[in-house]
Amino acid sequence: MKNYLNLLFVFAIVGLAACGSEPKPTFNFSCGSLLTEAELKPFEVKKEPKYLPIEFKLLGKLSLAIFDANNRIKSYNVQFFENTRERLVVQVYGIWEPVEMDKAACAVLNFPDYQLPDETLVIFYRNEKTDPKMHIVAGVRKQ
């Protein structure tokens, strides 16, 4: 009986340890390719964006496209990490469910109103942008 209790105790400890170390989920985006963890590293830093007036128009349109793609539910924030002629990095805070991320990524990567740069990335964060720690869920690049 004592051996049985010890064995049960060991299984409980192993089970709790396994639950605590949740593996990072992988997603298959229908409109782009998944970024690796190494490619996501630069986006773990906080950056206060400074926008030109023309950038507000694009930011608003991309935010509206994500809003429409996700059944007009507004529970997220959008900002640019970088916006140049060569590269656009869109940060989406507050969307982390796979279906919502896929819809949001497709809305950005297939955006018809502007010619987006060839290197367009969308990075998804579980938390709000005001959180002290960045919780990147996934990132996708334009194919």
Side-chain angles (χ1 to χ4, degrees):
M1 180 70 170
K2 190 174 184 180
N3 286 340
Y4 176 73
L5 288 175
N6 286 339
L7 189 59
L8 185 61
F9 181 71
V10 168
F11 283 131
I13 297 276
V14 169
L16 288 174
C19 289
S21 60
E22 187 178 319
K24 196 164 186 123
T26 58
F27 303 100
N28 292 321
F29 288 96
S30 59
C31 299
S33 56
L34 189 67
L35 297 174
T36 66
E37 284 193 39
E39 291 172 313
L40 290 172
K41 273 287 190 216
F43 309 110
E44 290 179 343
V45 298
K46 281 204 175 280
K47 188 173 182 181
E48 281 301 317
K50 293 183 176 105
Y51 301 115
L52 298 172
I54 195 154
E55 290 179 307
F56 280 115
K57 187 175 180 181
L58 176 59
L59 185 64
K61 286 187 173 211
L62 289 176
S63 187
L64 184 60
I66 293 170
F67 180 68
D68 288 340
N70 279 303
N71 300 321
R72 304 187 69 77
I73 296 171
K74 178 70 168 113
S75 59
Y76 60 89
N77 288 310
V78 179
Q79 75 177 33
F80 295 144
F81 184 87
E82 183 179 342
N83 183 10
T84 65
R85 288 178 184 241
E86 296 79 34
R87 185 177 192 203
L88 173 65
V89 180
V90 179
Q91 295 175 299
V92 181
Y93 295 90
I95 293 181
W96 64 86
E97 296 295 328
V99 172
E100 292 174 357
M101 286 193 309
D102 189 50
K103 288 179 183 178
C106 288
V108 172
L109 299 176
N110 295 328
F111 191 66
D113 293 355
Y114 285 83
Q115 180 68 36
L116 299 179
D118 287 336
E119 187 177 9
T120 299
L121 309 175
V122 183
I123 313 298
F124 294 96
Y125 300 84
R126 186 174 187 95
N127 59 316
E128 290 297 316
K129 65 181 182 180
T130 56
D131 240 356
K133 186 173 182 192
M134 305 299 276
H135 299 282
I136 295 177
V137 178
V140 63
R141 84 165 19 93
K142 187 174 167 181
Q143 290 179 332

